[in-house]
Amino acid sequence: MDFNQEIDRRHSESIKWNHFAEDVLPMWVADTDFRSPEAVIRALHERVDHGVFGYGAPPKELDQTVLQRLKRLYNWDVQASQIGYIPGVVTGFNAAIRSFCAPGEAVIYQTPAYPPFISAPDSAKLQGVQNPLVQGQDGRFYLDFERFEEQIISENVRAFILCNPQNPTGRVFTREELTQLAEICIRHNVLIISDEIHCDILYDDRKHIPIASLSPEVAANTITFMAPSKTYNIAGLHASVYIVQNPGLKEKLQTFCNGLIGNPGVLSLTAALAAYAEGDEWLADQNRYLQANRDFLDGALRTHLTGIHWSKPEATFLGWLDCSELGLAEPPYEFFLREARVGLNDGITFGPQYGDFVRINFGTTRANLQKAIDRMQAALAAR
Ligand SMILES: Cc1ncc(COP(=O)(O)O)c(C=O)c1O
């Protein structure tokens, strides 16, 4: 697979490539510009050639592939009756808080936060509680456990949406960190809704730990979401997996979804199965390419884009860029859009205190990444 291949997405229905004006290089929404594994494309061709697209159910083979993957990667024993499929992870965590929380209760999450974390409690008429990550001397983002527990107690928190690996900071939480979070949640009867959509794209030989795999007690208090969508660039097909090992919780979630949220479509299930069953080698290649992109950008931040800082992401193809030192008279998002013609994510959409940040998506060809860096550097030099 040639990850340097430039593919025209502007003339597809891509959100990423059609949101901004034509001369803007889009480095925002979290999909990559890579072609999916050939196994996925072949499986879709074969399914299309079958020519009949009546109602479909998730194949048993997909269940087995998912379960074996959880065992192989995380030594996590899950039964077929404990998993299900849903079109999207955002749909999933919105359904989870709505099925579980009662009016007047609150949902906590860490900031900076993936924007749908912020809107989920608001649109469910629940209270959202923001627990900011704290930047250490080393620039890394750390959990503030003390404040987390205090907020849970004082704000009537009933559910916690965890993002691990974390979008947008790229943190991969350690076993110790996850254990501490889980202990606090269990102590105060707070449901853990764990968004692990970025769990397959980790760097420097890091290993993902699903929070629910920590212990049976944590598993009984957790709803986990994973998906092949970011991993294999099939987000537009809409197939995600949920894992709920507490039968009561699973029933609650399913009852809420009944009649509202169906299974992914037959083509989505076909793609998901092919990706999970045959995509390992492609994924390893992609992660090597992405890690090199990350390091390339890291080098550029030290040499060409001085004044912009980041904590080198440990996972995800997203970078959280602190532009406060540039001293721009306007939000960096606006500056880089107008002056560099580079479309980033505006930090303020990740929490009100992050207006000096932008998020960059480096899940693109090296040539595009280089172009974005050059344009940003030129815009800064011309100030
Ligand atoms: C943390 C996180 N969760 C969920 C999603 C989207 O999930 P889905 O497309 O399955 O709704 C994204 C996409 O950027 C994400 O970063």
Side-chain angles (χ1 to χ4, degrees):
M1 167 75 192
D2 178 11
F3 291 94
N4 286 314
Q5 188 191 354
E6 300 276 349
I7 299 171
D8 173 20
R9 300 187 65 197
R10 197 155 324 251
H11 299 98
S12 75
E13 63 298 286
S14 162
I15 290 177
K16 184 182 185 180
W17 282 84
N18 290 298
H19 176 73
F20 294 109
E22 278 220 14
D23 64 333
V24 172
L25 190 58
M27 304 291 284
W28 67 299
V29 80
D31 61 23
T32 69
D33 293 323
F34 308 137
R35 195 173 146 89
S36 292
E38 281 312 308
V40 171
I41 296 165
R42 188 176 0 98
L44 284 170
H45 274 300
E46 283 169 10
R47 184 63 190 85
V48 167
D49 285 343
H50 181 256
V52 182
F53 306 104
Y55 294 117
K60 293 272 177 291
E61 204 185 339
L62 179 56
D63 286 352
Q64 288 315 312
T65 302
V66 169
L67 300 178
Q68 282 162 14
R69 199 170 190 268
L70 296 175
K71 178 70 182 165
R72 176 167 53 85
L73 296 179
Y74 316 121
N75 196 27
W76 187 13
D77 289 302
V78 179
Q79 310 301 314
S81 61
Q82 298 170 334
I83 63 171
Y85 304 92
I86 200 158
V89 171
V90 171
T91 306
F93 62 66
N94 274 279
I97 60 169
R98 287 175 194 219
S99 63
F100 200 75
C101 299
E105 292 181 334
V107 179
I108 196 165
Y109 53 84
Q110 270 85 36
T111 57
Y114 171 57
F117 279 34
I118 300 176
S119 53
D122 295 349
S123 45
K125 302 211 167 12
L126 299 164
Q127 197 202 334
V129 178
Q130 305 198 339
N131 173 242
L133 293 169
V134 179
Q135 227 169 341
Q137 292 292 334
D138 57 0
R140 272 178 103 205
F141 287 85
Y142 292 95
L143 292 155
D144 183 345
F145 296 106
E146 212 170 300
R147 183 143 181 223
F148 181 68
E149 185 157 21
E150 277 166 18
Q151 288 174 309
I152 284 177
I153 296 167
S154 65
E155 307 279 353
N156 194 26
V157 169
R158 188 78 177 100
F160 164 42
I161 313 182
L162 168 66
C163 190
N164 183 41
Q166 214 263 347
N167 170 8
T169 64
R171 264 307 309 279
V172 175
F173 296 119
T174 62
R175 182 174 295 276
E176 291 69 31
E177 286 175 311
L178 293 170
T179 303
Q180 218 169 324
L181 282 175
E183 280 172 3
I184 295 170
C185 288
I186 288 171
R187 192 150 58 234
H188 300 288
N189 196 25
V190 170
L191 172 72
I192 302 169
I193 299 164
S194 191
D195 176 340
E196 302 184 12
I197 196 167
H198 293 282
C199 66
D200 294 313
I201 300 176
L202 272 64
Y203 305 125
D204 311 312
D205 298 324
R206 283 189 179 77
K207 299 267 180 283
H208 173 71
I209 303 172
I211 194 166
S213 72
L214 289 178
S215 72
E217 200 189 7
V218 182
N221 188 49
T222 302
I223 297 176
T224 304
F225 293 99
M226 292 180 171
S229 49
K230 305 278 165 204
T231 316
Y232 299 101
N233 205 18
I234 52 174
L237 285 169
H238 294 286
S240 312
V241 183
Y242 61 84
I243 302 138
V244 194
Q245 294 184 280
N246 176 330
L249 270 184
K250 184 154 186 268
E251 199 192 326
K252 222 171 190 170
L253 182 64
Q254 281 177 326
T255 305
F256 179 87
C257 292
N258 271 345
L260 280 177
I261 303 167
N263 276 317
V266 290
L267 293 179
S268 318
L269 294 166
T270 298
L273 174 57
Y276 276 152
E278 300 173 69
D280 284 356
E281 207 176 309
W282 181 95
L283 175 57
D285 287 347
Q286 175 188 242
N287 286 357
R288 264 191 296 277
Y289 189 89
L290 287 174
Q291 182 167 316
N293 266 5
R294 178 203 64 166
D295 293 344
F296 184 72
L297 179 52
D298 189 56
L301 291 170
R302 290 166 198 278
T303 52
H304 297 90
L305 296 173
T306 48
I308 305 180
H309 301 281
W310 77 347
S311 173
K312 207 159 120 173
E314 300 162 357
T316 80
F317 44 82
L318 307 166
W320 184 234
L321 305 182
D322 181 351
C323 302
S324 50
E325 204 184 289
L326 294 174
L328 298 171
E330 61 184 322
Y333 164 79
E334 303 282 354
F335 174 81
F336 287 120
L337 181 56
R338 194 186 59 248
E339 300 298 327
R341 310 307 284 160
V342 174
L344 302 158
N345 283 92
D346 190 348
I348 206 157
T349 60
F350 294 75
Q353 67 272 51
Y354 303 107
D356 282 338
F357 286 77
V358 285
R359 192 190 71 173
I360 189 167
N361 174 349
F362 57 85
T364 189
T365 61
R366 185 70 46 78
N368 263 340
L369 182 58
Q370 174 80 69
K371 209 185 287 181
I373 292 166
D374 290 346
R375 288 186 184 193
M376 289 168 74
Q377 185 187 4
L380 288 171
R383 274 190 296 166

